[in-house]
Amino acid sequence: MGKRCFAEFLGTFWLVFGGCGSAVLAAAYPQLGIGFAGVALAFGLTVVTMAYAVGHVSGGHFNPAVTVGLWAGGRIPAKDVAPYVIAQVIGGIAAGAVLFLIASGKTGFDPTAGFASNGYGAHSPGGYSLLACMVAELVLTAFFLIVIHGVTDKRAPAGFAPLAIGLALTLIHLISIPVTNTSVNPARSTGVAIFQGSWAIAQLWMFWLVPLVGGVLGGLIYRWLLDAPADARVTDPVPGAASVAS
């Protein structure tokens, strides 16, 4: 368990440092910035790289909502949830601290301006309401868990899960950076909120509650509605297919 938790720490550190770091340091760089699309891709790349690097050690969750969602989907035992979540949050905060140290080396740096924190209402990048932000985080986290369950199913093509999960996270960010600055990950939100130091902490409750609920929802959907019986295969003939083809 110690090595598994350390792998989760490393993976979450890389996700927060790489994803939030791209937003803080490179998104609006003078004259040439990577923009929303670049930040979205950065988040996806962090998951792909660390899932391949340490996913075989811990499963590559790097996100409390993923851990809780995999538990809801019957993939991990309840005893693993708390140690994983603690390691992920510590990894996120450590990444936030390193990013803060780097960013503060530039004259005029002001973490209260945002520091890649998630927000709603007046602190949503696009000014979206609390309800709109809650719906976005719920739906996107639920679908993220459906994707994770599906691509890691033993019936899925082997070896492609990290790539599919990273692409899903990139898509999620492309959709929702203007809405909430994209959380779907309480550890990511916590890691930068405590260094923003004001409104981000006050709004942090939403970026814990809603992604966790969305993770559970996604896990249950896959477990009860989409997970076919163990003896089913995608190559099984569809009923009536022969008669239609003829």
Side-chain angles (χ1 to χ4, degrees):
M1 177 59 75
K3 290 183 178 180
R4 290 161 60 195
C5 286
F6 187 62
E8 286 297 306
F9 167 88
L10 290 176
T12 311
F13 179 98
W14 189 237
L15 185 152
V16 175
F17 182 71
C20 294
S22 70
V24 172
L25 304 175
Y29 192 79
Q31 298 181 345
L32 181 63
I34 62 175
F36 283 175
V39 173
L41 181 60
F43 272 100
L45 289 173
T46 63
V47 171
V48 172
T49 53
M50 288 308 291
Y52 277 120
V54 300
H56 54 281
V57 178
S58 66
H61 301 186
F62 317 144
N63 180 342
V66 171
T67 297
V68 171
L70 289 172
W71 163 76
R75 293 290 185 85
I76 65 169
K79 65 181 178 62
D80 288 356
V81 173
Y84 269 44
V85 170
I86 292 170
Q88 292 156 0
V89 172
I90 294 173
I93 294 172
V98 173
L99 179 58
F100 181 86
L101 181 64
I102 295 171
S104 61
K106 180 180 180 180
T107 302
F109 169 66
D110 180 13
T112 63
F115 198 55
S117 296
N118 302 115
Y120 55 81
H123 302 294
S124 157
Y128 288 83
S129 68
L130 172 60
L131 178 60
C133 292
M134 292 179 76
V135 171
E137 289 288 324
L138 181 72
V139 171
L140 292 171
T141 310
F143 271 89
F144 192 36
L145 264 295
I146 292 171
V147 170
I148 291 171
H149 277 84
V151 300
T152 57
D153 192 293
K154 63 183 179 180
R155 288 156 289 180
F160 293 98
L163 182 59
I165 293 168
L167 288 173
L169 189 61
T170 299
L171 174 61
I172 286 169
H173 279 78
L174 289 171
I175 294 168
S176 62
I177 287 178
V179 183
T180 62
N181 220 16
T182 311
S183 173
V184 302
N185 184 339
R188 169 261 189 269
S189 298
T190 303
V192 290
I194 64 174
F195 293 96
Q196 193 282 331
S198 56
W199 58 262
I201 296 177
Q203 295 191 350
L204 188 58
W205 66 271
M206 198 277 273
F207 298 103
W208 270 90
L209 175 63
V210 178
L212 290 178
V213 173
V216 170
L217 180 62
L220 292 177
I221 288 174
Y222 192 84
R223 184 174 186 174
W224 298 113
L225 298 180
L226 302 181
D227 196 9
D231 59 350
R233 296 292 184 272
V234 293
T235 54
D236 289 347
V238 177
S243 60
V244 171
S246 61

